[in-house]
Amino acid sequence: MGVRTVVVALLSTASGFYLPGIAPHEYADGERVEIKVNQLSSTKTQMPYDYYSLPFCKPAETVSAVENLGEVLHGSVIQNSPYDIFMGKTDFKVLCRVELNPKESALLAKRIKEDYRVHLIMDNLPAATKMIREMPDGKQITMYDRGYPLGFIGSVERPGSVEGTPYLYNHLRFVVKFHKEDSFIGARVVGFEVEPLSVKHQYKGKFTTDMSNLNLLTVPVGPDLPPQPVAGKKEGAAQAEVVYTYDVKWEYSEIKWASRWDLYLYMGDDQIHWFSIINSLAIVLLLTGIVAMIMMRTLRRDFNRYNEQDKEDLQEESGWKLVHADVFRPPAYPICLVASLGTGMQLLAMACIAIFCAMLGFLSPANRGGLLTATILLFVLMGVPAGYFSAHTYKSVKGTEWKKATLMTAFLWPAVVVGAFFVLNFFIWGQASSGAMPVGTMLALLLMWFGISTPLVFVGAFFGFKAKIADPPTRTNEIPRQVPQQAWYMGAAFNVLMGGILPFGAIFIELFFIMTSVWLQRFYYVFGFLALVLLILVVTCSEIAVVLCYFQLCNEDYEWWWRSFLTAGSSGLYLFAYSIMYFFTQLDIIGFVPTLIYFTYMFVFATLFFVITGTIGFYSCYWFVWTIYAAIKVD
C-alpha cells in the first residue's frame, strides 16, 4: 500500500474530511454513472487527438469539462459522451450507426496502424484494459493498461480477419467494479475495465437504436463473430457502415475506495527499485570514503605542514596552498554563471517541494494534470531563491552589474526552454493535434513568467545583495599566477566528462521507469523511491565535485568556478546520450514530428538536469574551497 493510499484511507475515516478532488461519490441503485471521453493517444506518434476527431457516436450536445493547466499541456480534451450507464443495471445497447466515407475510413485505418488508444473516464477513474502478468516465481499479477486499443491489424492469429487489414473495435464491454459498506449508503465505483470487441453487426429491417424494434442478428456479442473491417482510402468507394454497441457488467469488489488506484499505479516488482537504491548507495559510499580520506588524512596533513613551515620552505612546496592568492579570483563570464546557479536553485527547490507533496498524496493521479500544474506554479514561485542565490554569489565575486545579472537569471534558461517549446508547438499545430498549446495558454504562461516569476527574482535579488557576506579568507593578487601545464588526465575536458558518470550512474535505473511512464504512457507514482534517488543524487554530485576540485587545486589550477559547475553538470550530457539509446531500443516512434517531439523534450530535460546538478556541484565546491583556505595561515 503506497503513501497516497495510506493518506486517503486515514482521511476517509476522519468525519467526512477529504482532500479536494478525491472525495468519494456514493451511487444509489439506478443512478446514472457518467462516462466522459478524454483523448486518443499513441506511443508511436506521441501526439494526442480529440476523441471526436474520429467518426464516433456523439451526444446531442458536446460539453467540455473544466481543464487545469496541466491537462491542457497534456493535450486532454475531456467531454461528455452518449453512453447511458446506471448503477447496478446490466444492459446491452446500440449506440448509433455511422456511415464512413473514404476519408473517414482512411483516417480510422491510419490511427489503428499507429496504435492509437482510446481514453475514457468514469467517476474520475480512467478506463483500463486488464492484463495478467506472470512473475518469475510463477505468481500471476493483475495489472491495468490505460485506455483500450482503437482497433487491430488482421493476422493469421486472428480468426476471421484478413492479414494486413485494419479492424475497428466497435463494441465495448464495460466491467464496472463497485464496493459497498455499512458505513455509507449506496455503492462506490472502484474499478473501470473495458473489454473491446470488433463485430460486424448484422440486422434485419430498418435500423434504430431502440433495441425493442431492432432485429440485431449478432447478439450475444463474442470474439467468435466476424470483425468490423475499416475500408482503405479508395476514391469513389462505397460508404462503410459501422454500428457501435456496448454492454455493461457490474461486479462486486472487496477493494476499498481508498485503494482503487493501486492497480493503476502498480510499477512492477519493488525489488528493482531497491536494487536501484542499493546501486546508488554503493556509489555514494565509495565517494564518501574518498572524501573522508581527503578530509581526515590528506587535508589534515596539509594543514599541519603548511601551518608549521616557514615562508622560505614554502617556496619549494607545491600543492593547493600555493594558489591561495588566486583561488578567489572572479571567474570569466560571472553573470552567466550566477544566472545558471540561480535557475539551478529554482529548479532544485521546485523538485524537492513537488516530490514531497506527491509523496503525501497531494498530487494524486486522481487530480488529472495536478502534478504538472503544481510543478509549473512552484517553478514560478521559486523565483525568490533564484534571485537570492544569484545575487549573493554575484556579490561574492565583486560583481557590480546587479540589474543585468538579475535579468539574466530571470530570462536566460527559461528563454531556452520556452523557445524550444514555442518552435515545437508550430510543428504540433501542423498535425492538428490536441497536444498543441492554445494561444490563450501560451499567453497565460508568458504572463506567469513576466508577471510573477520575474518580479519574484528581483525580490530575491534585493535580499541577496542586502545580505552580508564574509570576506574571502585570503587576499587576491593583482597579477594572476600562471597555471602550470596539466597532465592529460587532469585537463578540463577529461575531468568534466568523468565527473558526470557517477551522478548519472546513481539515477539511471530510476530514470528508466520515469521515461517509461512518460513515453509509454504509464503511471509513475513511486515518489518515495524518487525522493531517495534525489537525495543520493545531491550527495553524489557534491562529493564528486569536491574530489575533483581538490585534485585540481593540488595541481595548482585555481580556475575552479566554472569547472565545478560543469563537472557535476556533465551528467546531463550522459542523460541525453541515454535518451538516444532508449529511443532506438525501447520505443517505436514513427515520423519526423514525433521524433522531433521526443528529442526536443529530452534535450530540454537534459538541459535542466545539467543546470540542477551543476548548481549542486558548484555550491559544494564553493563551501569546500572557502573552508580549507580559511583553515590555513597565510603570510
Side-chain angles (χ1 to χ4, degrees):
M1 183 178 290
V3 175
R4 175 195 170 272
T5 302
V6 174
V7 172
V8 175
L10 290 174
L11 291 174
S12 64
T13 61
S15 55
F17 175 76
Y18 295 94
L19 294 174
I22 61 171
H25 180 89
E26 287 87 23
Y27 293 90
D29 288 342
E31 181 180 351
R32 188 173 188 270
V33 183
E34 185 178 11
I35 292 182
K36 298 178 181 179
V37 297
N38 189 351
Q39 63 176 3
L40 309 169
S41 67
S42 168
T43 58
K44 285 189 174 182
T45 68
Q46 300 296 332
M47 285 188 293
Y49 286 94
D50 181 3
Y51 176 86
Y52 290 119
S53 64
L54 292 181
F56 292 131
C57 303
K58 291 185 179 181
E61 180 183 2
T62 55
V63 180
S64 296
V66 178
E67 298 172 349
N68 57 40
L69 180 60
E71 286 182 291
V72 174
L73 295 178
H74 276 305
S76 296
V77 182
I78 301 173
Q79 298 167 298
N80 60 322
S81 74
Y83 296 105
D84 278 327
I85 295 178
F86 301 92
M87 173 58 69
K89 185 179 179 182
T90 301
D91 210 348
F92 178 96
K93 287 189 176 181
V94 176
L95 203 58
C96 73
R97 183 189 64 167
V98 175
E99 293 185 350
L100 304 177
N101 58 42
K103 185 178 180 181
E104 292 172 331
S105 297
L107 181 60
L108 267 176
K110 180 183 178 184
R111 295 287 181 255
I112 292 172
K113 291 177 181 177
E114 292 171 338
D115 281 349
Y116 267 87
R117 299 182 70 86
V118 183
H119 298 276
L120 308 176
I121 299 171
M122 173 191 286
D123 193 48
N124 214 28
L125 273 180
T129 49
K130 185 166 65 174
M131 300 182 299
I132 305 297
R133 179 172 296 179
E134 188 169 341
M135 304 304 289
D137 58 0
K139 182 181 179 182
Q140 290 186 338
I141 293 181
T142 301
M143 297 180 64
Y144 279 173
D145 203 2
R146 295 166 69 179
Y148 67 89
L150 178 63
F152 68 94
I153 303 298
S155 63
V156 293
E157 290 82 13
R158 294 263 188 172
S161 67
V162 178
E163 188 172 1
T165 299
Y167 293 87
L168 174 69
Y169 286 127
N170 59 323
H171 178 84
L172 301 181
R173 177 163 294 150
F174 298 125
V175 181
V176 186
K177 299 180 183 294
F178 65 95
H179 180 74
K180 288 185 176 183
E181 289 183 8
D182 295 335
S183 57
F184 56 84
I185 301 174
R188 295 175 176 177
V189 175
V190 295
F192 180 30
E193 299 176 8
V194 177
E195 297 177 5
L197 294 169
S198 181
V199 180
K200 186 173 178 57
H201 284 295
Q202 303 289 334
Y203 58 91
K204 286 185 177 180
K206 186 178 180 181
F207 177 82
T208 176
T209 57
D210 185 0
M211 286 297 297
S212 61
N213 297 321
L214 178 65
N215 188 7
L216 194 62
L217 304 179
T218 47
V219 177
V221 174
D224 55 335
L225 295 176
Q228 173 66 56
V230 176
K233 186 176 182 181
K234 296 180 181 179
E235 295 297 334
Q239 291 182 328
E241 180 187 67
V242 177
V243 176
Y244 290 96
T245 58
Y246 68 96
D247 64 81
V248 186
K249 287 176 59 180
W250 297 88
E251 293 182 359
Y252 178 79
S253 173
E254 293 293 339
I255 297 174
K256 295 183 181 294
W257 185 88
S259 304
R260 65 178 188 164
W261 277 88
D262 288 358
L263 284 175
Y264 292 91
L265 304 181
Y266 181 73
M267 292 291 298
D269 196 348
D270 286 346
Q271 291 181 357
I272 300 176
H273 294 277
W274 282 117
F275 174 76
S276 170
I277 299 297
I278 294 172
N279 171 67
S280 303
L281 285 175
I283 295 174
V284 169
L285 290 175
L286 173 65
L287 283 175
T288 302
I290 296 174
V291 172
M293 182 182 66
I294 291 174
M295 300 295 290
M296 300 300 294
R297 297 185 60 186
T298 309
L299 276 177
R300 181 176 293 179
R301 187 177 66 245
D302 289 347
F303 288 150
N304 294 335
R305 186 173 74 251
Y306 288 146
N307 290 334
E308 291 174 0
Q309 287 177 327
D310 57 29
K311 186 175 180 180
E312 184 175 341
D313 291 338
L314 186 60
Q315 300 300 326
E316 300 176 0
E317 293 290 335
S318 62
W320 54 270
K321 186 179 179 182
L322 290 186
V323 296
H324 67 84
D326 297 277
V327 74
F328 294 105
R329 189 178 302 282
Y333 310 107
I335 291 180
C336 289
L337 178 61
V338 299
S340 301
L341 295 173
T343 303
M345 292 303 298
Q346 188 175 10
L347 291 167
L348 184 60
M350 173 203 74
C352 291
I353 298 174
I355 292 174
F356 178 74
C357 292
M359 283 176 58
L360 296 180
F362 294 114
L363 301 178
S364 164
N367 181 16
R368 293 179 303 275
L371 180 61
L372 184 55
T373 302
T375 301
I376 294 174
L377 291 177
L378 283 171
F379 177 80
V380 170
L381 296 176
M382 291 301 107
V384 174
Y388 180 87
F389 282 94
S390 172
H392 195 268
T393 308
Y394 189 57
K395 185 179 181 181
S396 70
V397 297
K398 312 300 181 186
T400 57
E401 299 178 275
W402 66 272
K403 292 182 181 178
K404 183 177 179 181
T406 306
L407 285 173
M408 284 287 283
T409 303
F411 294 118
L412 177 60
W413 291 108
V416 172
V417 175
V418 171
F421 285 147
F422 184 79
V423 173
L424 181 63
N425 206 48
F426 281 108
F427 289 93
I428 302 176
W429 260 336
Q431 300 294 315
S433 169
S434 62
M437 195 184 306
V439 176
T441 304
M442 294 176 62
L443 293 177
L445 290 175
L446 291 176
L447 183 62
M448 292 170 62
W449 180 17
F450 291 108
I452 302 177
S453 179
T454 300
L456 289 179
V457 171
F458 272 88
V459 170
F462 172 79
F463 289 104
F465 276 110
K466 287 292 183 181
K468 293 183 179 180
I469 60 171
D471 293 328
T474 61
R475 290 182 303 172
T476 302
N477 289 341
E478 293 184 6
I479 301 176
R481 180 187 181 91
Q482 183 176 359
V483 178
Q485 185 73 26
Q486 302 291 311
W488 66 270
Y489 52 84
M490 287 304 301
F494 183 80
N495 269 230
V496 166
L497 289 176
M498 292 299 102
I501 294 178
L502 291 181
F504 174 75
I507 58 102
F508 87 96
I509 296 179
E510 202 64 30
L511 179 66
F512 173 82
F513 289 100
I514 295 174
M515 293 182 65
T516 299
S517 70
V518 172
W519 299 111
L520 296 181
Q521 299 174 4
R522 297 172 186 168
F523 285 110
Y524 181 90
Y525 209 70
V526 284
F527 288 102
F529 287 110
L530 187 59
L532 286 175
V533 169
L534 178 61
L535 178 61
I536 291 171
L537 176 67
V538 171
V539 175
T540 306
C541 289
S542 301
E543 292 183 342
I544 193 66
V546 166
V547 169
L548 293 179
C549 180
Y550 174 76
F551 291 151
Q552 179 185 354
L553 294 176
C554 286
N555 282 271
E556 301 176 27
D557 184 354
Y558 54 83
E559 297 173 347
W560 62 273
W561 301 84
W562 274 106
R563 179 89 68 90
S564 63
F565 181 82
L566 297 174
T567 294
S570 64
S571 55
L573 180 64
Y574 290 99
L575 191 153
F576 188 72
Y578 176 76
S579 71
I580 298 176
M581 184 189 74
Y582 187 88
F583 178 84
F584 288 106
T585 59
Q586 300 293 329
L587 301 179
D588 191 22
I589 292 179
I590 55 175
F592 170 74
V593 175
T595 303
L596 181 65
I597 291 173
Y598 174 82
F599 282 107
T600 301
Y601 273 92
M602 292 310 304
F603 169 76
V604 169
F605 182 65
T607 300
L608 299 181
F609 190 74
F610 158 76
V611 175
I612 292 176
T613 52
T615 300
I616 296 169
F618 174 85
Y619 280 113
S620 302
C621 291
Y622 187 86
W623 167 83
F624 174 74
V625 171
W626 214 275
T627 301
I628 64 173
Y629 282 96
I632 61 172
K633 298 176 183 177
V634 179
D635 297 326

